Amino acid sequence: EMCGPGGPFEQTCAVLRGSGNRYASAITGAAKFYLLEPGSVLKPHCGQANLRLFLQLGVLVPRGVSMEVGGERREWQEGKVL
């Protein structure tokens, strides 16, 4: 498991779930982690409604990786949220 002991996001999950996170009670939904191989392409998709705010955080980002949303293309940067 990604959040389990020894998993790559063990500390991140602990912070999100922890009592030290004053926003933890306001979090509804989920934090998801995707590991994509170089050259991966995600098909265009959308949710059922505009009820949630989605943030994309690049943890380890190779050069030249981008994402397009609503016709606007942005380049990923490590440690920066899109």
Side-chain angles (χ1 to χ4, degrees):
E1 178 182 285
M2 303 286 264
C3 291
F9 299 107
E10 177 181 5
Q11 290 180 336
T12 301
C13 295
V15 168
L16 291 173
R17 295 175 177 157
S19 60
N21 179 358
R22 67 182 185 175
Y23 302 108
S25 64
I27 296 172
T28 59
K32 296 183 181 180
F33 301 95
Y34 296 94
L35 300 174
L36 301 174
E37 294 291 326
S40 295
V41 175
L42 300 178
K43 293 180 182 179
H45 59 280
C46 62
Q48 297 174 348
N50 287 329
L51 299 176
R52 294 184 185 189
L53 175 63
F54 288 88
L55 303 173
Q56 310 292 327
L57 172 65
V59 179
L60 298 173
V61 181
R63 297 179 91 182
V65 177
S66 62
M67 176 170 65
E68 184 175 331
V69 177
E72 184 177 331
R73 182 171 295 279
R74 298 263 181 109
E75 191 162 317
W76 287 87
Q77 297 177 33
E78 284 189 17
K80 301 287 183 176
V81 172
L82 289 178

